[in-house]
Amino acid sequence: MACGEFSLIARYFDRVRNARLDVETGIGDDCALLNIPEKQTLAISTDTLVVGNHFLPDIDPADLAHKALAVNLSDLAAMGADPAWLTLALTLPAVDEAWLAAFSDRLFELLSYYDMQLIGGDTTKGPLSMTLGIHGYVPVGRALKRSGAKPGDWIYVTGTPGDSAAGLALILNQLTIDNPEDAAYLRQRHLRPTPRILQGQALRDLANSAIDLSDGLISDLGHILNASGVGARVDLDLLPYSDALRRHVQPEQACRWALSGGEDYELCFTVPELNRGALEVALGQLGTPFTCIGQISADVEGLHFTQEGKAVQLDWKGYDHF
Ligand code: TPP
């Protein structure tokens, strides 16, 4: 059956209206019209995913939909925002109905899980790529920022960074793991990251600064340090590794992936001593694994690493597209 641009949008993307959100006009006019709840600050972010750079051409469309939305949600999580609206600009090489059905089914599953609405976008023909615009809101004055870290703050990460890079290495056949469960776990961490939305919201009144881990801890914690005008010491012995990574990857490679692999979409945040107890309770209630890996300091510049009590120099860099 032929499927032009407008019937494609109608069939796959103009599906659900959200009862919670006050959307005056969604898909179907030149602009979306959104009524924003009172005393909320809008949080807006954009991310592009391009075939060959962010994913391989044969990626499962449901995995692609999950990842595209999850990486955008992760930006809202890092600000402590509540997800609301999504725009999707999709470039497709051709109309493949089975592909579109699988892609849009997973997209709408996740949109419904996070109580969001797709409110507009664009479809064009070309090499497979997409740009998502995500919008959320956060009570005025309570957004988490990169710029708030203070000397003495403790540095934390959620989850187990490094898993995503190991998953990518498996997908690219640069790593083989003979245990199917461990291999599947690492691939999933790469293809279906978990945005830490509730955790970000729980950190609003506890953390002084936060960022999500997209380019690797070295680069992303570096952004917090630059924005806050502070330095930090990180103890490599404290980095949390998953059992799967620990079992199949040499310690140095695991460390490199945790610090510079990227795409973990975990949160890195800093918390003053006074809030550590409340943090244990808040993230404990959510069942989120989180680990203290170091401390913000006024008497060092940039990021300093120690291992077994000694200073270590690392020249690894975070992921850079250029
Ligand atoms: N090659 C393929 C085929 N897939 C990949 N996922 C990568 C390489 C690795 N990779 C692509 S983008 C990226 C990494 C590690 C970093 C994060 O992406 P970016 O677009 O910089 O995210 P943002 O910082 O904008 O959230």
Side-chain angles (χ1 to χ4, degrees):
M1 191 196 317
C3 184
E5 184 182 351
F6 299 110
S7 60
L8 181 160
I9 293 166
R11 193 171 313 160
Y12 297 108
F13 295 108
D14 189 6
R15 289 208 203 173
V16 185
R17 313 275 141 112
N18 182 303
R20 172 184 71 119
L21 302 168
D22 191 358
V23 175
E24 199 171 304
T25 306
I27 292 174
D29 211 318
D30 291 310
C31 288
L33 297 172
L34 314 168
N35 297 318
I36 298 158
E38 258 182 73
K39 299 205 171 76
Q40 301 288 320
T41 301
L42 260 188
I44 302 175
S45 176
T46 303
D47 255 312
T48 297
L49 284 85
V50 177
V51 67
N53 292 340
H54 293 87
F55 58 88
L56 294 175
D58 63 352
I59 189 171
D60 178 303
D63 286 339
L64 182 56
H66 180 111
K67 184 151 181 182
L69 184 51
V71 307
N72 275 270
L73 280 162
S74 179
D75 287 321
L76 291 186
M79 310 293 290
D82 191 359
W85 310 283
L86 182 77
T87 59
L88 170 67
L90 187 59
T91 304
L92 297 167
V95 172
D96 174 340
E97 302 249 357
W99 191 98
L100 276 164
F103 179 87
S104 59
D105 281 353
R106 182 63 192 149
L107 186 73
F108 278 90
E109 246 171 62
L110 267 194
L111 287 171
S112 146
Y113 182 83
Y114 288 101
D115 210 4
M116 299 178 68
Q117 184 169 330
L118 182 65
I119 44 118
D122 195 17
T123 46
T124 43
K125 188 172 170 174
L128 183 59
S129 72
M130 65 201 65
T131 298
L132 284 77
I134 200 161
H135 313 86
Y137 47 81
V138 59
V140 172
R142 288 176 66 202
L144 296 165
K145 294 182 189 158
R146 299 175 178 186
S147 55
K150 303 270 182 308
D153 279 4
W154 296 97
I155 304 166
Y156 289 85
V157 288
T158 58
T160 50
D163 289 347
S164 175
L168 177 62
L170 281 166
I171 291 164
L172 295 175
N173 293 319
Q174 294 163 349
L175 173 71
T176 43
I177 290 182
D178 51 14
N179 175 323
E181 282 96 52
D182 286 349
Y185 163 82
L186 292 168
R187 256 191 235 105
Q188 282 291 101
R189 296 316 301 152
H190 179 76
L191 293 169
R192 296 202 175 199
T194 314
R196 301 292 194 180
I197 291 291
L198 293 179
Q199 293 76 3
Q201 290 171 9
L203 292 174
R204 276 176 197 161
D205 300 319
L206 300 175
N208 279 339
S209 68
I211 193 165
D212 71 317
L213 295 180
S214 57
D215 296 327
L217 195 66
I218 287 187
S219 170
D220 297 320
L221 179 54
H223 293 316
I224 287 188
L225 303 184
N226 285 339
S228 304
V230 291
R233 290 197 178 81
V234 166
D235 183 348
L236 297 180
D237 299 317
L238 298 178
L239 289 180
Y241 299 113
S242 66
D243 291 341
L245 199 66
R246 214 186 277 280
R247 272 197 284 267
H248 303 286
V249 173
Q250 294 299 321
E252 188 184 325
Q253 179 65 277
C255 182
R256 180 187 280 257
W257 277 338
L259 294 180
S260 64
E263 295 185 288
D264 285 301
Y265 300 104
E266 295 292 349
L267 295 181
C268 173
F269 54 96
T270 75
V271 173
E273 174 67 33
L274 202 64
N275 291 347
R276 288 185 95 181
L279 175 76
E280 301 275 336
V281 175
L283 292 193
Q285 272 171 353
L286 294 172
T288 315
F290 65 103
T291 311
C292 182
I293 58 167
Q295 196 170 21
I296 298 292
S297 166
D299 42 70
V300 289
E301 249 184 53
L303 192 47
H304 291 252
F305 295 103
T306 58
Q307 193 162 31
E308 292 168 5
K310 294 194 206 84
V312 224
Q313 298 289 339
L314 297 176
D315 57 2
W316 305 333
K317 300 232 171 351
Y319 190 83
D320 191 343
H321 286 282
F322 297 98

